Amino acid sequence: MTITAHELEIKLEEVEDPDIGEDIVSLGLVNDVTIDDETARISLAFNAPYAPSEMEIGNQIRDVIEDAGLEADLRAHVDEEHGFDDEVLPRVRNVIAVSSGKGGVGKTTVAANLAAGLEKRGAMVGLLDADIHGPNVPQILPAESDPGVTPNEEIVPPRSDGVRIISMGMMMENEDDPAILRGPMVNKFMMKFLEGVEWGRLDYLIVDLPPGTGDATLNLLQSMPVTGAVVVTTPQEMALDDTRKGIQMFNKHDTPVLGVVENMSSFICPSCGDQHGLFGTGGADTIVDKYDVPLLGRIPIHPDFGADGSQGALVKNDDSEVQSHLEDVVGEVADRVGEANRRTVSENITQEPANKLPTETED
């Protein structure tokens, strides 16, 4: 006799969320289970496409369904009921802020490679260069065309190797022209970028923030439903001091800090292979321990990564020695986004105990 949807849902209690440590049914991550013509259709409250952890959970669910003698049809769906904003940027699933306490730590290079890395995995990705005074994203991801404009005067971002991008650098007549703007004009441009861009449907919008804790960052936190922040630092104590301030700012605005990326963590000698901590070692560990945030990865010093001014994201360059480090960071960020979203679902959905699930009316 074919298993019922009620029985299958009870079996799904065997599947544990690897990050939260509880089963997916108790967490409220199973929206609906139906069985039709030997196919189990399951709706899951997942919202981080191509995150390794969620893909692994999906594989475990498929194993349970296969053991029950059924074909699997898995779908993902979240909405306001699950705790997600559906008014501001309703077609954008996740907004990830990439921040640094000070300039010169490689924040833009990390943001561009994060966007390109998520797109490489199959996600639909946008990259907003919110560093008005230092718009460097186009140097790494040059636009394939000029921005467009809709009849409603919204900016249509061009693409760069699959990533939709918008940057103040596209608005300059010459790439070396400085953006000489006072505070009110900076805020005007920021709000246009935050509210006046037609991104289309995105799985991830990466926002490359200017360094520090100024108006641009506050405008973002007040205007957008930010899923979480990635903080970039280097091992030097001065950079770490500013990183602590940035984390405190996100905490005060109830924005999850997804983790810390330690850039320029070491120099690997190309001749002998020895590793040297030119700027110190283990600096990010002090941040991780004090604020209980994940270390998303360490990226070594390498001429490929932000030093030679070459265009293109190295996360897509199979010949680069840095690629594997960047891919690890991309996977970790996606996982932390998924965990943050699943915790949001769990906090907003009250799931009835398995023994009180509705009885099945159809086989």
Side-chain angles (χ1 to χ4, degrees):
M1 182 177 179
T2 303
I3 189 173
T4 66
H6 173 65
E7 292 168 337
L8 180 58
E9 187 160 5
I10 293 175
K11 284 185 173 294
L12 291 176
E13 294 177 0
E14 301 170 7
V15 179
E16 182 178 286
D17 185 305
D19 300 311
I20 301 177
E22 298 179 35
D23 74 85
I24 60 173
V25 175
S26 298
L27 289 171
L29 300 177
V30 179
N31 295 323
D32 184 53
V33 178
T34 60
I35 297 176
D36 182 34
D37 193 23
E38 303 300 316
T39 297
R41 295 183 173 86
I42 299 180
S43 172
L44 300 166
F46 286 2
N47 198 40
Y50 302 97
S53 288
E54 293 196 353
M55 294 176 73
E56 176 57 31
I57 294 173
N59 289 335
Q60 292 184 48
I61 292 172
R62 290 185 179 90
D63 289 342
V64 171
I65 294 173
E66 183 179 343
D67 289 344
L70 301 170
E71 296 291 327
D73 182 4
L74 307 185
R75 311 286 176 90
H77 172 74
V78 295
D79 54 24
E80 187 177 8
E81 174 192 11
H82 298 91
F84 296 95
D85 190 307
D86 61 356
E87 295 182 2
V88 181
L89 297 176
R91 301 178 70 192
V92 177
R93 287 189 171 195
N94 298 286
V95 178
I96 305 173
V98 180
S99 170
S100 67
K102 64 188 291 100
V105 300
K107 168 185 56 63
T108 296
T109 312
V110 170
N113 277 274
L114 174 59
L118 289 168
E119 193 279 335
K120 178 183 176 182
R121 288 171 178 259
M124 291 177 288
V125 184
L127 175 57
L128 169 58
D129 185 356
D131 194 343
I132 303 297
H133 290 294
N136 295 319
V137 162
Q139 296 181 26
I140 305 171
L141 294 175
E144 297 166 0
S145 63
D146 293 329
V149 181
T150 70
N152 296 328
E153 297 187 349
E154 291 183 314
I155 302 171
V156 179
R159 294 178 185 266
S160 178
D161 196 17
V163 177
R164 301 169 200 179
I165 62 172
I166 200 69
S167 170
M168 187 69 181
M170 299 174 179
M171 313 300 172
M172 301 295 186
E173 185 174 348
N174 299 304
E175 64 179 20
D176 292 334
D177 288 346
I180 304 175
L181 301 170
R182 293 187 181 274
M185 285 301 295
V186 172
N187 289 338
K188 181 179 179 179
F189 274 105
M190 271 297 301
M191 295 314 296
K192 180 64 176 178
F193 283 168
L194 294 178
E195 300 175 352
V197 177
E198 175 50 64
W199 291 104
R201 188 163 67 91
L202 294 179
D203 297 316
Y204 301 94
L205 174 60
I206 312 301
V207 183
D208 178 28
L209 291 171
T213 56
D215 287 348
T217 300
L218 296 177
N219 284 338
L220 173 71
L221 297 178
Q222 294 168 359
S223 304
M224 282 187 174
V226 180
T227 306
V230 173
V231 181
V232 182
T233 188
T234 54
Q236 303 104 308
E237 187 55 42
M238 189 173 293
L240 295 170
D241 285 344
D242 291 333
T243 299
R244 295 182 184 97
K245 296 172 185 176
I247 290 176
Q248 288 279 50
M249 176 197 64
F250 288 118
N251 288 340
K252 289 180 179 179
H253 285 82
D254 296 324
T255 301
V257 176
L258 302 174
V260 176
V261 175
E262 185 181 81
N263 193 24
M264 308 181 199
S265 63
S266 63
F267 171 71
I268 301 176
C269 176
S271 299
C272 66
D274 288 346
Q275 187 168 323
H276 305 276
L278 300 183
F279 300 131
T281 57
D285 292 337
T286 62
I287 302 289
V288 169
D289 293 340
K290 181 173 181 178
Y291 293 101
D292 192 27
V293 296
L295 178 63
L296 299 172
R298 289 187 168 94
I299 303 172
I301 300 171
H302 195 281
D304 286 353
F305 195 63
D308 63 0
S310 61
Q311 294 179 343
L314 292 181
V315 73
K316 290 189 174 184
N317 185 347
D318 294 339
D319 296 327
S320 172
E321 297 177 2
V322 185
Q323 185 191 55
S324 61
H325 297 276
L326 295 171
E327 288 181 332
D328 289 344
V329 169
V330 172
E332 283 293 326
V333 171
D335 275 347
R336 299 291 71 75
V337 169
E339 179 186 357
N341 285 335
R342 297 195 302 277
R343 288 187 185 278
T344 296
V345 171
S346 181
E347 292 167 1
N348 284 273
I349 295 293
T350 301
Q351 188 75 11
E352 295 183 0
N355 59 2
K356 293 185 180 180
L357 288 171
T359 57
E360 189 69 25
T361 57
E362 296 180 0
D363 288 338

